[in-house]
PDB file of all heavy atoms in Angstrom:
ATOM      1  N   ASP N 121     110.694 116.810  96.209  1.00 95.00           N
ATOM      2  CA  ASP N 121     110.989 116.336  94.789  1.00 95.00           C
ATOM      3  C   ASP N 121     112.263 115.525  94.586  1.00 95.00           C
ATOM      4  O   ASP N 121     112.243 114.535  93.877  1.00 95.00           O
ATOM      5  CB  ASP N 121     111.054 117.580  93.814  1.00 95.00           C
ATOM      6  CG  ASP N 121     109.748 118.267  93.662  1.00 95.00           C
ATOM      7  OD1 ASP N 121     108.694 117.718  93.841  1.00 95.00           O
ATOM      8  OD2 ASP N 121     109.750 119.504  93.369  1.00 95.00           O
ATOM      9  N   ALA N 122     113.237 115.847  95.338  1.00 97.00           N
ATOM     10  CA  ALA N 122     114.510 115.129  95.190  1.00 97.00           C
ATOM     11  C   ALA N 122     114.417 113.709  95.555  1.00 97.00           C
ATOM     12  O   ALA N 122     114.794 112.710  94.845  1.00 97.00           O
ATOM     13  CB  ALA N 122     115.646 115.776  95.958  1.00 97.00           C
ATOM     14  N   THR N 123     113.774 113.442  96.764  1.00 97.00           N
ATOM     15  CA  THR N 123     113.617 112.035  97.205  1.00 97.00           C
ATOM     16  C   THR N 123     112.684 111.304  96.294  1.00 97.00           C
ATOM     17  O   THR N 123     112.919 110.166  96.008  1.00 97.00           O
ATOM     18  CB  THR N 123     113.008 112.023  98.654  1.00 97.00           C
ATOM     19  OG1 THR N 123     114.040 112.700  99.521  1.00 97.00           O
ATOM     20  CG2 THR N 123     112.774 110.741  99.179  1.00 97.00           C
ATOM     21  N   ARG N 124     111.592 111.976  95.950  1.00 96.00           N
ATOM     22  CA  ARG N 124     110.626 111.315  95.064  1.00 96.00           C
ATOM     23  C   ARG N 124     111.237 110.860  93.763  1.00 96.00           C
ATOM     24  O   ARG N 124     111.035 109.826  93.153  1.00 96.00           O
ATOM     25  CB  ARG N 124     109.380 112.208  94.817  1.00 96.00           C
ATOM     26  CG  ARG N 124     108.259 111.435  94.279  1.00 96.00           C
ATOM     27  CD  ARG N 124     106.933 112.256  94.257  1.00 96.00           C
ATOM     28  NE  ARG N 124     107.147 113.386  93.235  1.00 96.00           N
ATOM     29  CZ  ARG N 124     107.212 114.629  93.559  1.00 96.00           C
ATOM     30  NH1 ARG N 124     107.240 115.050  94.823  1.00 96.00           N
ATOM     31  NH2 ARG N 124     107.459 115.538  92.635  1.00 96.00           N
ATOM     32  N   GLN N 125     112.137 111.780  93.199  1.00 97.00           N
ATOM     33  CA  GLN N 125     112.864 111.506  91.912  1.00 97.00           C
ATOM     34  C   GLN N 125     113.760 110.257  92.045  1.00 97.00           C
ATOM     35  O   GLN N 125     113.890 109.388  91.219  1.00 97.00           O
ATOM     36  CB  GLN N 125     113.610 112.690  91.371  1.00 97.00           C
ATOM     37  CG  GLN N 125     112.673 113.680  90.798  1.00 97.00           C
ATOM     38  CD  GLN N 125     111.782 113.275  89.691  1.00 97.00           C
ATOM     39  OE1 GLN N 125     112.159 112.495  88.862  1.00 97.00           O
ATOM     40  NE2 GLN N 125     110.532 113.714  89.777  1.00 97.00           N
ATOM     41  N   ARG N 126     114.455 110.201  93.230  1.00 97.00           N
ATOM     42  CA  ARG N 126     115.431 109.116  93.491  1.00 97.00           C
ATOM     43  C   ARG N 126     114.591 107.847  93.505  1.00 97.00           C
ATOM     44  O   ARG N 126     114.934 106.812  92.995  1.00 97.00           O
ATOM     45  CB  ARG N 126     116.164 109.323  94.813  1.00 97.00           C
ATOM     46  CG  ARG N 126     117.379 110.206  94.610  1.00 97.00           C
ATOM     47  CD  ARG N 126     118.321 110.172  95.813  1.00 97.00           C
ATOM     48  NE  ARG N 126     117.700 110.438  97.085  1.00 97.00           N
ATOM     49  CZ  ARG N 126     117.489 111.721  97.577  1.00 97.00           C
ATOM     50  NH1 ARG N 126     117.947 112.777  96.796  1.00 97.00           N
ATOM     51  NH2 ARG N 126     116.939 111.873  98.730  1.00 97.00           N
ATOM     52  N   MET N 127     113.412 107.918  94.277  1.00 97.00           N
ATOM     53  CA  MET N 127     112.529 106.685  94.397  1.00 97.00           C
ATOM     54  C   MET N 127     111.924 106.343  93.104  1.00 97.00           C
ATOM     55  O   MET N 127     111.785 105.139  92.723  1.00 97.00           O
ATOM     56  CB  MET N 127     111.466 107.007  95.407  1.00 97.00           C
ATOM     57  CG  MET N 127     111.984 107.001  96.832  1.00 97.00           C
ATOM     58  SD  MET N 127     110.632 107.254  98.102  1.00 97.00           S
ATOM     59  CE  MET N 127     109.846 105.636  97.992  1.00 97.00           C
ATOM     60  N   SER N 128     111.697 107.287  92.207  1.00 97.00           N
ATOM     61  CA  SER N 128     111.184 107.061  90.953  1.00 97.00           C
ATOM     62  C   SER N 128     112.182 106.280  90.122  1.00 97.00           C
ATOM     63  O   SER N 128     111.840 105.330  89.382  1.00 97.00           O
ATOM     64  CB  SER N 128     110.761 108.326  90.232  1.00 97.00           C
ATOM     65  OG  SER N 128     110.229 108.040  88.909  1.00 97.00           O
ATOM     66  N   GLN N 129     113.412 106.714  90.047  1.00 97.00           N
ATOM     67  CA  GLN N 129     114.482 105.999  89.366  1.00 97.00           C
ATOM     68  C   GLN N 129     114.598 104.534  89.862  1.00 97.00           C
ATOM     69  O   GLN N 129     114.761 103.556  89.132  1.00 97.00           O
ATOM     70  CB  GLN N 129     115.808 106.737  89.398  1.00 97.00           C
ATOM     71  CG  GLN N 129     115.707 108.047  88.632  1.00 97.00           C
ATOM     72  CD  GLN N 129     116.872 108.982  88.846  1.00 97.00           C
ATOM     73  OE1 GLN N 129     117.708 108.683  89.719  1.00 97.00           O
ATOM     74  NE2 GLN N 129     116.950 110.018  88.091  1.00 97.00           N
ATOM     75  N   ALA N 130     114.578 104.415  91.196  1.00 97.00           N
ATOM     76  CA  ALA N 130     114.704 103.081  91.738  1.00 97.00           C
ATOM     77  C   ALA N 130     113.518 102.241  91.438  1.00 97.00           C
ATOM     78  O   ALA N 130     113.708 100.952  91.212  1.00 97.00           O
ATOM     79  CB  ALA N 130     114.884 103.254  93.265  1.00 97.00           C
ATOM     80  N   ALA N 131     112.333 102.784  91.313  1.00 96.00           N
ATOM     81  CA  ALA N 131     111.119 102.063  90.951  1.00 96.00           C
ATOM     82  C   ALA N 131     111.299 101.531  89.592  1.00 96.00           C
ATOM     83  O   ALA N 131     110.974 100.434  89.318  1.00 96.00           O
ATOM     84  CB  ALA N 131     109.919 102.916  91.093  1.00 96.00           C
ATOM     85  N   ARG N 132     111.733 102.401  88.670  1.00 96.00           N
ATOM     86  CA  ARG N 132     111.962 101.947  87.307  1.00 96.00           C
ATOM     87  C   ARG N 132     113.016 100.797  87.238  1.00 96.00           C
ATOM     88  O   ARG N 132     112.780  99.816  86.525  1.00 96.00           O
ATOM     89  CB  ARG N 132     112.402 103.111  86.387  1.00 96.00           C
ATOM     90  CG  ARG N 132     112.679 102.737  84.977  1.00 96.00           C
ATOM     91  CD  ARG N 132     111.364 102.400  84.239  1.00 96.00           C
ATOM     92  NE  ARG N 132     111.703 102.135  82.832  1.00 96.00           N
ATOM     93  CZ  ARG N 132     111.230 101.158  82.109  1.00 96.00           C
ATOM     94  NH1 ARG N 132     110.293 100.393  82.559  1.00 96.00           N
ATOM     95  NH2 ARG N 132     111.674 101.032  80.864  1.00 96.00           N
ATOM     96  N   THR N 133     114.062 100.948  87.946  1.00 95.00           N
ATOM     97  CA  THR N 133     115.042  99.829  87.978  1.00 95.00           C
ATOM     98  C   THR N 133     114.421  98.522  88.560  1.00 95.00           C
ATOM     99  O   THR N 133     114.623  97.448  88.003  1.00 95.00           O
ATOM    100  CB  THR N 133     116.216 100.230  88.865  1.00 95.00           C
ATOM    101  OG1 THR N 133     116.860 101.387  88.370  1.00 95.00           O
ATOM    102  CG2 THR N 133     117.328  99.149  89.027  1.00 95.00           C
ATOM    103  N   GLN N 134     113.658  98.639  89.562  1.00 94.00           N
ATOM    104  CA  GLN N 134     112.984  97.505  90.205  1.00 94.00           C
ATOM    105  C   GLN N 134     111.988  96.893  89.286  1.00 94.00           C
ATOM    106  O   GLN N 134     111.874  95.624  89.110  1.00 94.00           O
ATOM    107  CB  GLN N 134     112.338  97.869  91.477  1.00 94.00           C
ATOM    108  CG  GLN N 134     111.658  96.648  92.184  1.00 94.00           C
ATOM    109  CD  GLN N 134     112.572  95.617  92.708  1.00 94.00           C
ATOM    110  OE1 GLN N 134     113.824  95.750  92.662  1.00 94.00           O
ATOM    111  NE2 GLN N 134     112.086  94.563  93.340  1.00 94.00           N
ATOM    112  N   GLY N 135     111.244  97.740  88.490  1.00 92.00           N
ATOM    113  CA  GLY N 135     110.315  97.264  87.539  1.00 92.00           C
ATOM    114  C   GLY N 135     110.958  96.488  86.443  1.00 92.00           C
ATOM    115  O   GLY N 135     110.425  95.425  85.967  1.00 92.00           O
ATOM    116  N   LEU N 136     112.137  96.962  85.972  1.00 90.00           N
ATOM    117  CA  LEU N 136     112.855  96.221  84.929  1.00 90.00           C
ATOM    118  C   LEU N 136     113.326  94.844  85.518  1.00 90.00           C
ATOM    119  O   LEU N 136     113.334  93.873  84.755  1.00 90.00           O
ATOM    120  CB  LEU N 136     114.012  97.111  84.530  1.00 90.00           C
ATOM    121  CG  LEU N 136     113.690  98.234  83.597  1.00 90.00           C
ATOM    122  CD1 LEU N 136     114.889  99.169  83.394  1.00 90.00           C
ATOM    123  CD2 LEU N 136     113.007  97.847  82.285  1.00 90.00           C
ATOM    124  N   ALA N 137     113.690  94.822  86.704  1.00 88.00           N
ATOM    125  CA  ALA N 137     114.195  93.539  87.318  1.00 88.00           C
ATOM    126  C   ALA N 137     113.067  92.621  87.428  1.00 88.00           C
ATOM    127  O   ALA N 137     113.296  91.333  87.290  1.00 88.00           O
ATOM    128  CB  ALA N 137     114.728  93.814  88.714  1.00 88.00           C
ATOM    129  N   LEU N 138     111.834  93.063  87.520  1.00 84.00           N
ATOM    130  CA  LEU N 138     110.656  92.175  87.631  1.00 84.00           C
ATOM    131  C   LEU N 138     109.997  91.922  86.337  1.00 84.00           C
ATOM    132  O   LEU N 138     108.975  91.200  86.277  1.00 84.00           O
ATOM    133  CB  LEU N 138     109.559  92.826  88.600  1.00 84.00           C
ATOM    134  CG  LEU N 138     110.059  93.003  89.995  1.00 84.00           C
ATOM    135  CD1 LEU N 138     108.989  93.820  90.805  1.00 84.00           C
ATOM    136  CD2 LEU N 138     110.228  91.680  90.669  1.00 84.00           C
ATOM    137  N   HIS N 139     110.549  92.425  85.262  1.00 80.00           N
ATOM    138  CA  HIS N 139     110.100  92.215  83.860  1.00 80.00           C
ATOM    139  C   HIS N 139     109.775  90.706  83.708  1.00 80.00           C
ATOM    140  O   HIS N 139     110.631  89.826  84.087  1.00 80.00           O
ATOM    141  CB  HIS N 139     111.055  92.802  82.857  1.00 80.00           C
ATOM    142  CG  HIS N 139     110.573  92.795  81.404  1.00 80.00           C
ATOM    143  ND1 HIS N 139     109.417  93.358  81.035  1.00 80.00           N
ATOM    144  CD2 HIS N 139     111.092  92.176  80.358  1.00 80.00           C
ATOM    145  CE1 HIS N 139     109.274  93.193  79.741  1.00 80.00           C
ATOM    146  NE2 HIS N 139     110.338  92.500  79.287  1.00 80.00           N
TER     147      HIS N 139
END
Side-chain angles (χ1 to χ4, degrees):
D121 291 336
T123 299
R124 198 174 64 254
Q125 288 301 320
R126 280 193 303 278
M127 288 181 74
S128 178
Q129 291 171 352
R132 178 71 177 137
T133 300
Q134 182 68 2
L136 289 170
L138 296 172
H139 185 59

